C-alpha cells in the first residue's frame, strides 16, 4: 500500500528509555548461539529423513498454553471491536488508535521473551495470532509480522 499524499501530523517524539546500543545488546544476548538439537530441514536436505524430530509433535508447556490462549482471547475481542479492515484498505493506513491498541495488548512483542518485557508466545501461538489478526486486516497482519524480531530465539 502506498501512503496518502497529504501530510499527516507526526506523532510526538518520545525519548527512548534505553539507548540503541543497549537495545542491540539485549537482542544479541537473546540470540541462540549453540544449536543443541538437530534440524529436521537440515537433515532432510542432507538426505536423512528423521521423522523422530517432528513426530510425535511435542505438547506445549501448560504456562505457554495459558499465556497463548489468554492473549488470543484478548486479540480476538480487539479484532472484532476495534479493527475496521475495510476502512484500513480504503484509507491505505492503519489508524493510530489501532496501532496503540495493539501496543497495549502486547502484540508488538509477541515473540519477545517475557524476561525482556514481551509476551513470550510460542511459534504456534504467534502463528495463530497472525492468522487471527490477518483475517481482520491483512495490513495489520503484515505490520505485526514485519515487526517481529527475527533475532530473538524461537520457542
Amino acid at each position: 500500500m502506498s501512503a496518502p499524499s497529504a501530510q499527516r501530523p507526526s506523532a510526538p517524539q518520545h525519548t527512548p528509555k534505553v539507548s540503541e546500543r543497549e537495545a542491540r545488546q539485549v537482542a544479541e544476548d537473546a540470540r541462540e548461539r549453540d544449536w543443541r538439537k538437530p534440524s529436521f530441514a537440515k537433515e532432510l536436505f542432507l538426505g536423512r529423513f528423521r521423522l523422530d524430530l517432528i513426530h510425535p509433535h511435542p505438547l506445549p508447556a501448560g504456562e505457554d498454553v495459558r499465556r497463548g490462549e489468554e492473549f488470543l482471547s484478548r486479540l480476538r475481542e480487539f479484532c472484532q471491536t476495534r479493527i475496521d479492515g475495510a476502512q484500513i484498505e480504503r484509507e491505505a493506513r492503519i489508524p493510530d488508535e489501532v496501532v496503540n491498541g495493539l501496543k497495549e495488548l502486547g502484540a508488538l512483542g509477541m515473540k519477545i521473551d517475557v524476561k525482556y518485557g514481551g509476551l513470550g508466545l510460542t511459534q504456534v501461538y504467534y502463528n495463530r495470532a497472525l492468522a487471527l489478526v490477518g483475517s481482520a486486516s491483512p495490513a495489520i497482519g503484515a505490520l505485526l509480522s514485519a515487526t517481529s524480531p527475527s533475532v530473538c530465539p524461537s520457542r
Side-chain angles (χ1 to χ4, degrees), residues 67 71 74 102-122 126 129 143-144 147-149 152:
R67 191 171 48 246
F71 175 70
R74 291 181 304 152
L102 291 167
K103 177 182 166 186
E104 291 168 13
L105 280 174
L108 299 177
M110 290 186 284
K111 292 289 292 164
I112 297 174
D113 197 299
V114 174
K115 69 182 177 182
Y116 297 114
L119 295 179
L121 295 185
T122 64
Y126 171 71
L143 170 72
L144 293 180
T147 59
S148 175
C152 292

Side-chain angles (χ1 to χ4, degrees), residues 86-147:
Q87 175 192 5
I88 291 169
E89 292 300 314
R90 198 170 43 252
E91 296 178 3
R93 70 180 293 274
I94 301 170
D96 291 340
E97 56 271 11
V98 172
V99 174
N100 289 332
L102 291 167
K103 177 182 166 186
E104 291 168 13
L105 280 174
L108 299 177
M110 290 186 284
K111 292 289 292 164
I112 297 174
D113 197 299
V114 174
K115 69 182 177 182
Y116 297 114
L119 295 179
L121 295 185
T122 64
Q123 188 65 40
V124 169
Y125 280 103
Y126 171 71
N127 293 347
R128 289 179 61 191
L130 286 182
L132 175 63
V133 79
S135 69
S137 168
I140 295 176
L143 170 72
L144 293 180
S145 177
T147 59

Side-chain angles (χ1 to χ4, degrees), residues 1-2 11 14 17 29-30 44 54 62 69 77-78 81 87 89 108 111 121 126 145-146 151 153:
M1 284 187 251
S2 61
H14 298 287
K17 294 180 182 170
D29 291 345
L44 191 59
I54 60 169
E69 291 295 333
E77 174 70 20
F78 182 86
T81 60
Q87 175 192 5
E89 292 300 314
L108 299 177
K111 292 289 292 164
L121 295 185
Y126 171 71
S145 177
V151 295

Side-chain angles (χ1 to χ4, degrees), residues 12-74:
Q13 298 296 320
H14 298 287
T15 305
K17 294 180 182 170
V18 297
S19 70
E20 179 181 351
R21 176 173 283 176
E22 291 170 319
R24 286 179 187 267
Q25 189 59 50
V26 167
E28 286 300 320
D29 291 345
R31 186 189 310 241
E32 189 166 354
R33 288 173 175 70
D34 300 317
W35 298 97
R36 295 176 294 280
K37 298 178 183 176
S39 161
F40 175 77
K42 179 181 177 182
E43 292 294 313
L44 191 59
F45 178 78
L46 295 173
R48 298 185 290 254
F49 182 66
R50 295 276 315 271
L51 186 61
D52 63 301
L53 295 176
I54 60 169
H55 183 76
H57 191 274
L59 296 175
E63 176 61 20
D64 290 341
V65 171
R66 184 201 61 74
R67 191 171 48 246
E69 291 295 333
E70 179 182 289
F71 175 70
L72 288 178
S73 176
R74 291 181 304 152

